[in-house]
Amino acid sequence: MKIDITLKRMIDDSYPIHIGGLPPIEFPGKVAILTNPKVAGLHLPKLLGSLKAKEVYIITIPDGEQYKTLQTIEFILDRMFDHRLNRKSSLIAFGGGVIGDMGGFASSLYNRGIDFIQIPTTLLSQVDASVGGKTGVNNRFGKNLIGAFHQPRAVYIDPTFLSTLPEREFGAGVAEIVKMAVTFNRSFFEWLEANDLREGENLEIAIKQAVETKARVVEEDEKEQGLRAALNYGHTFGHVIENETAYATYLHGESVAIGMVMANDLASQIGLMHVDEAERVKAVLGKYNLPLFYDIPDVEKFYQAFFLDKKSADSAITFILPHGIGDVEITDTVSPETVKEVLGRFQTKVLAV
Amino acid sequence: MKIDITLKRMIDDSYPIHIGGLPPIEFPGKVAILTNPKVAGLHLPKLLGSLKAKEVYIITIPDGEQYKTLQTIEFILDRMFDHRLNRKSSLIAFGGGVIGDMGGFASSLYNRGIDFIQIPTTLLSQVDASVGGKTGVNNRFGKNLIGAFHQPRAVYIDPTFLSTLPEREFGAGVAEIVKMAVTFNRSFFEWLEANDLREGENLEIAIKQAVETKARVVEEDEKEQGLRAALNYGHTFGHVIENETAYATYLHGESVAIGMVMANDLASQIGLMHVDEAERVKAVLGKYNLPLFYDIPDVEKFYQAFFLDKKSADSAITFILPHGIGDVEITDTVSPETVKEVLGRFQTKVLAV
């Protein structure tokens, strides 16, 4: 005997992304703010001044990618239960990408899902991580391997939070902006070549352009069945670099910058991208002092680490490679030999023999 | 400036529930079977005989509700990564409710979601937990407080697995069958009064009837915005009992049986259910040696524990109370005094004074 259970329904997870000064935000129930001590010290008074809620709780976790673990999620959930949050409560993720990913993840798990709001305070999280509903944590096998899709109710991007951002973190954010341009928007890339994001209104213009690009991609392909995978350009390589360096050497955006250089080299090797265009991408990244080289200790080990990547199927590795600037190709047909040859160029020890 | 991100789409999570002898099941990719040593010893050869897959891995976790924790989820995920499962792999949850809830939860988190299959081996999980996509774990604050909605790809219910079930676990499963009848189906309840589930084909008939009832309720209300909450009849009380006794004294179905008796008493107290009908429910539960009484150590503490229940909003407790046999009412207007008066009747110490 067979009983069919029919679960077809319309889902509406649409939400607004506000760019500009933080407006007053009102909540009907309890609110918990997830943040870290650094962001709290610099910006919490401003946020609290904008909130109107029945009860507000602050949950603070240590700053840093190394705390993006399931253990920290359990700590956050425990505090949410301590504060007796319920299904009508909301969580505000107030900080960079780590806070956003973990706040979204914890709110997806609490009572099987409560509302959350993203208020990103770093350039990287403003242009990328805060939009799209990907949440999760790392483990010893790699980055973002455990998680959930959980869309925020709203995102508030206030560029004035960036005034306190250290230069390295600024550059790390620029890397993701460059990513959007190289994968989807050639004229935006040319604008980036001609303009300095540290001058005048340029940063806000670039944030809007990057968020707009990402929003359209996520609308097309929320669960990353196709198009959205293109946003992982530079990440396939970058994640391995971050993992090999225990998240201690590079900021996420910095490893993505190196990853894009590697992806471009591979794209050039198989004839998808002219070397001149690869050089132009390097030049833009270099303007913001981003690293462009990583000395791979063991090519074979680096290669094997790809297989833990979510994007890779049973036996083939999926690469996101630029097809010139402004277009992208997702391919799993590059031969292992070609990949290892390109990786070999990022190994000074071998070159020195 | 405001950018709107529009995420409206059709979701189809429909799946078949097969009731009867386990058929051959074929998988295109890798398969991991999550089970416990007891189920593995009794039934794994039969399951392995029915599977056809590229690679099969067995993940074993200890048997018991006390292991239904986030720590065990991390252990399961680590094994899944050890085995290099990918997005085309599947997890089979092979065991009782604990295995089903954790297998579903782990598969929802792995790479933000891979397929899973439910093959329940206890009566309780066959009639209830295996259908509906609620997954999750307990923590020190209560039951199933952390989790996700993740629908299985298919459910296989083979009643022959029940031949090895201890009598107490059989009774615990019957409690959930009685729950379906009292809340939604008066004629099914009358059939349960007239028939013994230990005889002939009666058990398979009851399983089909219970699964059919649950399937229709989940179709109506997957995310428990309304109707589905009715299936928590007996659980609001039962969860507190389980938590107070550290999951060590009663099986889940046994605490639900006591919870239904408590809910019926409250329903009688406010005039929703005639005491004769409450007695009839007791009589059916008693036929299967289910416990009908729990000695509450501290009424105030028991009452406060309701507020951690997912179904309760900021200040009001939501009760699921029978409106006679075969109908149900979800209400948050019962006064605290009335609730505590009814709870007081489950406290022998006070009665003895």
Side-chain angles (χ1 to χ4, degrees):
Chain A
M1 186 205 181
K2 182 161 149 281
I3 297 173
D4 281 301
I5 181 156
T6 306
L7 291 175
K8 289 184 197 165
R9 67 272 187 229
M10 272 306 289
I11 298 277
D12 187 355
D13 279 339
S14 305
Y15 57 92
I17 303 166
H18 304 268
I19 302 179
L22 195 65
I25 316 174
E26 201 166 330
F27 292 89
K30 297 181 185 185
V31 171
I33 299 169
L34 179 70
T35 190
N36 68 43
K38 216 197 295 184
V39 173
L42 291 167
H43 303 301
L44 196 54
K46 177 172 171 168
L47 175 60
L48 291 173
S50 297
L51 290 190
K52 212 182 141 184
K54 219 175 130 186
E55 297 171 27
V56 175
Y57 300 92
I58 320 286
I59 302 172
T60 311
I61 58 173
D63 185 24
E65 185 85 29
Q66 69 271 35
Y67 298 104
K68 193 174 153 183
T69 62
L70 215 44
Q71 285 74 36
T72 307
I73 290 293
E74 186 151 37
F75 171 85
I76 297 167
L77 289 168
D78 276 354
R79 297 296 78 71
M80 292 167 79
F81 285 108
D82 281 338
H83 302 323
R84 300 262 191 285
L85 299 195
N86 56 50
R87 284 183 174 175
K88 289 174 186 163
S89 307
S90 299
L91 183 85
I92 298 176
F94 186 52
V98 171
I99 292 286
D101 284 6
M102 286 208 284
F105 191 28
S107 61
S108 86
L109 299 176
Y110 190 88
N111 287 355
R112 295 199 191 91
I114 64 168
D115 284 354
F116 89 110
I117 306 286
Q118 291 265 29
I119 305 185
T121 60
T122 64
L123 182 55
L124 187 133
S125 60
Q126 289 194 346
V127 297
D128 192 15
S130 69
V131 179
K134 275 195 189 177
T135 76
V137 294
N138 311 323
N139 66 3
R140 67 189 164 89
F141 298 91
K143 273 203 72 165
N144 298 322
L145 292 178
I146 300 171
F149 286 95
H150 188 50
Q151 300 294 342
R153 276 281 154 259
V155 181
Y156 295 89
I157 296 175
D158 183 346
T160 65
F161 285 129
L162 304 181
S163 60
T164 57
L165 204 65
E167 202 200 325
R168 263 186 79 190
E169 287 199 34
F170 185 86
V174 173
E176 297 282 358
I177 293 175
V178 173
K179 177 191 79 174
M180 306 286 182
V182 174
T183 46
F184 288 110
N185 196 331
R186 187 175 178 94
S187 65
F188 181 35
F189 182 83
E190 285 163 354
W191 183 90
L192 287 170
E193 283 183 306
N195 291 280
D196 190 324
L197 296 182
R198 285 160 293 213
E199 286 170 8
E201 301 291 300
N202 288 342
L203 183 59
E204 190 154 345
I205 294 168
I207 291 174
K208 283 172 187 168
Q209 188 66 57
V211 169
E212 185 81 36
T213 304
K214 171 126 191 202
R216 298 306 152 240
V217 171
V218 172
E219 281 179 358
E220 281 284 307
D221 177 27
E222 185 200 356
K223 292 283 175 80
E224 196 171 312
Q225 321 272 300
L227 188 68
R228 185 168 179 178
L231 296 178
N232 290 311
Y233 164 54
H235 287 62
T236 310
F237 297 92
H239 283 172
V240 179
I241 295 171
E242 281 182 293
N243 208 20
E244 286 200 345
T245 54
Y247 306 104
T249 310
Y250 302 108
L251 297 174
H252 173 66
E254 292 174 336
S255 68
V256 169
I258 305 172
M260 289 192 285
V261 173
M262 289 178 169
N264 293 354
D265 277 13
L266 186 55
S268 299
Q269 180 75 18
I270 64 170
L272 274 180
M273 185 182 217
H274 196 285
V275 286
D276 290 353
E277 291 198 314
E279 284 305 314
R280 284 169 67 188
V281 176
K282 263 190 177 172
V284 170
L285 296 171
K287 276 207 288 185
Y288 301 95
N289 302 315
L290 282 159
L292 307 171
F293 186 83
Y294 166 67
D295 191 356
I296 298 178
D298 181 333
V299 164
E300 185 58 34
K301 210 177 135 220
F302 195 101
Y303 182 81
Q304 287 303 323
F306 286 136
F307 288 98
L308 269 177
D309 196 85
K310 288 190 291 299
K311 292 170 291 301
S312 297
D314 270 313
S315 52
I317 304 165
T318 304
F319 288 105
I320 294 101
L321 301 178
H323 194 162
I325 287 168
D327 196 10
V328 73
E329 197 157 310
I330 302 173
T331 173
D332 62 0
T333 59
V334 189
S335 77
E337 294 69 33
T338 306
V339 177
K340 290 178 196 172
E341 186 187 335
V342 171
L343 291 177
R345 292 188 214 139
F346 288 83
Q347 193 176 37
T348 51
K349 270 181 298 194
V350 171
L351 290 173
V353 168
Chain B
M1 186 207 182
K2 183 161 150 279
I3 296 173
D4 280 301
I5 181 157
T6 306
L7 292 174
K8 291 185 195 163
R9 66 275 187 225
M10 272 306 289
I11 298 277
D12 188 354
D13 278 339
S14 306
Y15 57 92
I17 303 166
H18 304 267
I19 302 178
L22 194 66
I25 316 174
E26 201 166 330
F27 294 90
K30 297 181 185 186
V31 172
I33 300 170
L34 178 69
T35 190
N36 68 43
K38 216 196 299 184
V39 173
L42 291 167
H43 303 301
L44 196 55
K46 177 171 171 168
L47 174 60
L48 291 172
S50 297
L51 291 189
K52 213 182 139 184
K54 218 175 132 187
E55 297 171 27
V56 175
Y57 300 92
I58 320 286
I59 301 172
T60 311
I61 57 173
D63 185 24
E65 186 84 28
Q66 69 270 36
Y67 299 104
K68 193 174 151 182
T69 63
L70 215 44
Q71 286 74 34
T72 307
I73 291 293
E74 186 152 35
F75 171 85
I76 296 167
L77 289 168
D78 276 353
R79 296 297 77 72
M80 292 166 79
F81 285 107
D82 280 338
H83 301 324
R84 300 264 192 284
L85 298 195
N86 56 50
R87 284 184 174 172
K88 289 174 186 163
S89 307
S90 300
L91 183 84
I92 298 176
F94 186 54
V98 171
I99 291 286
D101 283 6
M102 286 209 283
F105 191 28
S107 62
S108 86
L109 299 176
Y110 190 88
N111 288 352
R112 295 197 190 92
I114 63 167
D115 285 353
F116 88 109
I117 306 285
Q118 291 265 28
I119 307 184
T121 60
T122 65
L123 182 55
L124 187 134
S125 59
Q126 290 194 345
V127 297
D128 192 13
S130 69
V131 179
K134 275 194 189 178
T135 76
V137 295
N138 311 323
N139 67 2
R140 67 191 164 88
F141 297 91
K143 274 202 72 164
N144 297 322
L145 293 178
I146 299 170
F149 285 95
H150 189 50
Q151 300 293 343
R153 276 281 155 260
V155 181
Y156 296 88
I157 296 174
D158 183 345
T160 64
F161 285 128
L162 305 180
S163 60
T164 57
L165 205 65
E167 201 200 325
R168 262 185 80 191
E169 288 199 33
F170 185 85
V174 173
E176 297 282 358
I177 293 175
V178 172
K179 177 191 80 175
M180 306 286 181
V182 174
T183 46
F184 288 109
N185 196 331
R186 189 177 177 92
S187 65
F188 181 33
F189 182 82
E190 285 163 354
W191 182 89
L192 287 170
E193 283 183 306
N195 292 279
D196 191 324
L197 297 182
R198 286 161 291 213
E199 286 170 8
E201 300 291 300
N202 287 342
L203 183 60
E204 190 155 344
I205 294 168
I207 290 173
K208 282 172 187 169
Q209 187 67 57
V211 168
E212 185 82 36
T213 303
K214 172 127 192 204
R216 296 307 150 237
V217 171
V218 172
E219 281 179 356
E220 280 284 306
D221 177 28
E222 186 200 353
K223 291 285 176 80
E224 196 170 314
Q225 320 273 302
L227 187 69
R228 185 168 177 178
L231 296 179
N232 290 311
Y233 164 53
H235 286 63
T236 309
F237 297 91
H239 283 173
V240 180
I241 296 171
E242 282 182 293
N243 207 21
E244 287 200 345
T245 53
Y247 306 104
T249 311
Y250 301 108
L251 297 174
H252 174 67
E254 290 174 337
S255 68
V256 169
I258 304 173
M260 289 192 284
V261 173
M262 289 178 168
N264 293 353
D265 276 14
L266 186 56
S268 299
Q269 181 75 16
I270 64 170
L272 274 180
M273 185 183 217
H274 196 286
V275 286
D276 290 353
E277 290 198 315
E279 283 306 313
R280 283 169 66 188
V281 176
K282 264 190 177 172
V284 170
L285 296 171
K287 278 206 289 184
Y288 301 95
N289 302 315
L290 282 158
L292 307 172
F293 186 85
Y294 166 67
D295 191 356
I296 297 178
D298 181 334
V299 164
E300 186 58 36
K301 210 178 133 217
F302 195 101
Y303 181 81
Q304 287 303 325
F306 287 136
F307 288 98
L308 270 178
D309 195 85
K310 286 190 293 299
K311 291 170 292 302
S312 297
D314 270 315
S315 53
I317 304 165
T318 304
F319 288 105
I320 293 102
L321 301 178
H323 194 164
I325 287 167
D327 195 10
V328 72
E329 199 159 308
I330 302 173
T331 174
D332 61 1
T333 59
V334 188
S335 77
E337 294 70 32
T338 306
V339 177
K340 289 177 196 173
E341 186 187 333
V342 171
L343 291 178
R345 292 188 214 139
F346 288 84
Q347 192 175 38
T348 51
K349 269 181 296 192
V350 171
L351 290 173
V353 169

